[in-house]
Amino acid sequence: MDKLKMESKDNVQGNIEKIRELFPNCVTEVLRDGKPTLKVDFDVLKQEMSDTLIDDKEERYQFTWPDKKKSILLANTPIKATLRPCKEESVDFDNTENLYIEGDNLDVLKLLQETYLGKIKMIYIDPPYNTGNDFVYNDDFALKSEEYLESSGQYDEQGNRLVQNTESNGRFHTDWLNMIYPRLKVAKDLLSDDGAIFISIDDNEVENLRKICDEIFGEKNFVATLAIENNPKGRKNGKYFSINNENCLVFVKDYNSGKGFNDIIPKENLLRDEMGFYSPGQRVLVGKCSNKLAKDVSSDKFYFVYYKENCPLLIKKSIDKSLTDYKLYMSVNDKGEIIENTYTADKLKDLYNENSLIFNANTIYEKDRNINKQQKTLICSSAVYDLKTESANFIYEGFDLKNIFTMPKNVDYIKMLLKLNSDKNDIVLDFFSGSSTTAHAVMQLNAEDGGNREFIMVQLPEKCDENSEAFKAGYKNICEIGKERIRRAGKKIKEENGLTAQNLDIGFRVLKLDSSNMKDVYYKPQDYTQNLLDSLESNIKEDRTPLDLLFQVMLSLGKPLSAKIEEKEIAGKHVYIVNDDDLIACFDDGITEEVVKEIAKKKPLFAVFRDSGLSSDSTSTNFDQIFATYSPNTTRKVL
């Protein structure tokens, strides 16, 4: 039996393993907390890299700021924390595959690493823009209780201070960078090889964000900076320009993965031209229908165009009165005189043969210029028009989103991004989820295309100001707004889509970040004397439930937090069965050999027990032999 670590993934050890694959002579073992731990011998590594090593004084291209090294360390440091399920705030807890997680998103992302490594297809985030009024995380400070009580600032439940980052702060950009950098660094590992991240940002930090994304994701994996026109009238606080757009940075995990974006142009977010077509690019007017005669000319760019549905395109130098069943098109000026067409007759014929022309009632247009001629697919424009439809202000059964939440994102805009980068069975993550627009968009798109996309929303339970409309409406923190929005949006979507949405997943499991379920003695037994160990009844905190333990075990073993969970009795003991015998866990006391045998007979991939739960020394002694007899391939773990 092996003991579970019950802590988040150690990224440093993972990086050392990668170095050892390339330079095994550069990695050695040292004792840390009495346990062998891998360490890099940097003196040997410098020798191995002597031809390319950059001297400390050598000038080089780099982007840095105060405490950047601490940000990197913060991203790599494992934590002893867990996610505790909250059934009473969930919707359809036993069946849903969606997650709503409350807590500091950096800690949550660390806990998700083992389970969701390389499994997230799309990340969308709308982080604080650093306008001077946004609250940002100050991860460097965990205050003592007396400081906590004396200060008037806001804190998360772990005691991390939330700072209002005003421009008078000498670390205005530094604090924001130290907040966002470790979160993006951890999030990158969650993306699948063909995954992408979309980050909304305004002009205050867009250049800095681009630089750190170049560093984290790789400059070669930059796709575009989308210009999102979301305020046609423009903001009134601009001194020289009335700003009517924000930005969305797009990076992929691996530009060479072979999987690009989906071949769609969602019309609800694009300009409508006079023909009624939505276009992300430039349409070219080729000819205009006219019954006026004009003189023949010799240039190959002056010609008449005849067209009849299902019949070939005819291009001639003069009007042919015999073609009475064909419509006559030609380019004319205001005087009715022929003007030069955009293309020659031969070019126009090529476009017609490629099916690249649109014949409207009175005009001929070339289809969008943004056409990939090899793949025959449309390429989305980097200028996106976020039309503020009614979905930007969700109102349902007395829930008025815009009245209780400042600047909620538009569902149609997020749905457009989902169409571009997600397939029907993908997982979508938003770790600055705010009012849960991303969850709303996922459910809406699933209803429209029959998809089974899963969402993971992560949000700090930031308190609502007591003078705000949200607080007056009964919402104490942002998480309460987000969860209620999902409940009401899901119900409305299901009502509007009838039978086609009868199997639509509109539920979500609520999980809340908390300290580990295990007492300190679990992690550092060497710090306790044997007499003290004997006096401790349990290494598990008294206020934790078996379901709490199960979810920390699932995190440690990399099992999906959305997995199906069954509760059964085996030989009189309560057990959890996860994903049809993928994992069987029993945290009861008094586990006999009979219980162990019955669980082993089910041949689970993993079996987990409390070490103190085994009823006798005999059961402990025979434990491994029982599994060796009935299920030798089962991995056995104890708490």
Side-chain angles (χ1 to χ4, degrees), residues 81-113:
T82 189
L83 298 176
R84 300 178 67 186
C86 184
K87 274 194 169 184
E88 60 271 20
E89 295 180 21
S90 304
V91 175
D92 198 17
F93 183 93
D94 292 331
N95 300 302
T96 184
E97 295 185 325
N98 300 316
L99 302 175
Y100 188 97
I101 305 176
E102 297 186 23
D104 183 312
N105 51 15
L106 178 57
D107 286 351
V108 172
L109 289 170
K110 288 183 178 183
L111 291 175
L112 296 180
Q113 284 181 105

Side-chain angles (χ1 to χ4, degrees), residues 5 7-19 32 37-38 40 71-79 106-115 117 181-190:
K5 293 177 65 176
E7 65 181 23
S8 67
K9 184 179 179 182
D10 190 337
N11 286 332
V12 172
Q13 289 299 301
N15 291 334
I16 293 174
E17 288 282 4
K18 294 174 184 176
I19 292 175
R32 186 174 70 181
T37 304
L38 295 179
V40 176
S71 291
I72 298 172
L73 181 64
L74 188 62
N76 290 331
T77 304
I79 58 169
L106 178 57
D107 286 351
V108 172
L109 289 170
K110 288 183 178 183
L111 291 175
L112 296 180
Q113 284 181 105
E114 196 73 48
T115 301
L117 181 71
Y181 187 91
R183 288 160 174 82
L184 291 177
K185 194 172 189 299
V186 179
K188 177 199 173 185
D189 292 336
L190 301 181

Side-chain angles (χ1 to χ4, degrees), residues 196-222:
I197 184 169
F198 298 80
I199 310 173
S200 288
I201 197 71
D202 72 356
D203 291 340
N204 286 295
E205 297 290 355
V206 64
E207 293 89 355
N208 288 333
L209 180 62
R210 170 65 196 274
K211 288 184 176 71
I212 62 175
C213 284
D214 282 344
E215 181 173 317
I216 293 171
F217 296 96
E219 189 174 356
K220 66 177 182 178
N221 293 317
F222 170 71

Side-chain angles (χ1 to χ4, degrees), residues 448-506:
E448 293 174 7
D449 67 5
N452 296 297
R453 298 169 186 83
E454 302 172 30
F455 65 71
I456 302 175
M457 300 294 104
V458 183
Q459 177 59 45
L460 185 79
E462 182 182 331
K463 295 178 181 178
C464 297
D465 188 283
E466 292 187 6
N467 296 319
S468 67
E469 292 300 319
F471 190 87
K472 294 174 184 177
Y475 301 102
K476 296 179 181 179
N477 59 57
I478 292 177
C479 291
E480 292 184 3
I481 297 173
K483 287 179 292 188
E484 187 63 16
R485 196 261 185 89
I486 300 174
R487 294 186 191 105
R488 293 178 184 253
K491 184 178 178 182
K492 183 178 182 182
I493 291 168
K494 208 156 190 176
E495 288 175 357
E496 292 176 342
N497 289 273
L499 292 176
T500 60
Q502 61 181 344
N503 296 319
L504 181 68
D505 185 357
I506 59 171

Side-chain angles (χ1 to χ4, degrees), residues 232-455:
K233 294 181 180 179
R235 297 175 181 83
K236 297 179 180 179
N237 57 356
K239 184 175 181 180
Y240 300 109
F241 292 91
S242 181
I243 306 299
N244 65 353
N245 74 286
E246 62 183 27
N247 312 288
C248 181
L249 266 64
V250 185
F251 278 79
V252 291
K253 177 71 171 289
D254 183 0
Y255 204 90
N256 298 317
S257 67
K259 176 67 171 68
F261 292 89
N262 295 326
D263 304 333
I264 56 98
I265 292 295
K267 69 179 183 179
E268 60 264 34
N269 289 278
L270 303 172
L271 278 180
R272 184 171 182 169
D273 63 21
E274 70 274 16
M275 297 166 56
F277 287 93
Y278 290 84
S279 171
Q282 176 186 4
R283 285 189 189 280
V284 179
L285 180 64
V286 174
K288 186 173 183 180
C289 183
S290 175
N291 291 321
K292 296 179 181 180
L293 299 179
K295 61 183 180 179
D296 194 8
V297 291
S298 58
S299 169
D300 64 357
K301 288 192 177 182
F302 289 88
Y303 47 81
F304 297 91
V305 179
Y306 298 89
Y307 176 75
K308 182 180 179 181
E309 187 176 2
N310 299 323
C311 291
L313 179 74
L314 299 175
I315 301 174
K316 296 193 174 184
K317 285 287 186 178
S318 61
I319 291 183
D320 189 338
K321 294 181 180 180
S322 67
L323 299 173
T324 55
D325 292 336
Y326 285 75
K327 179 166 283 190
L328 171 63
Y329 291 84
M330 57 185 157
S331 296
V332 296
N333 60 19
D334 293 338
K335 297 179 181 179
E337 298 172 338
I338 279 187
I339 59 173
E340 186 173 352
N341 283 283
T342 305
Y343 299 127
T344 65
D346 290 339
K347 175 64 174 177
L348 195 65
K349 287 178 182 177
D350 290 340
L351 290 172
Y352 177 78
N353 292 332
E354 293 174 0
N355 193 30
S356 295
L357 293 177
I358 299 171
F359 291 84
N360 197 39
N362 299 302
T363 51
I364 307 173
Y365 277 75
E366 180 191 358
K367 288 183 180 178
D368 303 284
R369 282 281 181 88
N370 290 349
I371 293 180
N372 184 320
K373 296 297 184 183
Q374 293 180 339
Q375 298 179 0
K376 301 294 183 186
T377 59
L378 292 174
I379 302 173
C380 188
S381 170
S382 62
V384 178
Y385 299 88
D386 180 10
L387 305 179
K388 289 293 184 182
T389 63
E390 62 180 14
S391 67
N393 181 22
F394 176 65
I395 301 176
Y396 182 63
E397 292 186 350
F399 182 86
D400 187 346
L401 177 63
K402 199 170 184 180
N403 190 47
I404 60 176
F405 194 88
T406 305
M407 299 295 289
K409 279 287 182 285
N410 185 4
V411 174
D412 290 332
Y413 164 55
I414 305 300
K415 192 171 67 174
M416 180 203 77
L417 300 182
L418 288 168
K419 287 181 180 180
L420 283 172
N421 188 242
S422 74
D423 295 322
K424 291 185 178 181
N425 295 303
D426 287 332
I427 303 175
V428 178
L429 169 66
D430 183 344
F431 55 89
F432 285 95
S433 64
S435 68
S436 296
T437 300
T438 302
H440 189 163
V442 167
M443 293 187 296
Q444 184 67 54
L445 184 56
N446 282 343
E448 293 174 7
D449 67 5
N452 296 297
R453 298 169 186 83
E454 302 172 30
F455 65 71

Side-chain angles (χ1 to χ4, degrees), residues 605-620:
L605 292 178
F606 292 90
V608 179
F609 302 84
R610 289 175 58 186
D611 195 10
S612 61
L614 300 180
S615 61
S616 65
D617 291 340
S618 174
T619 303
S620 299

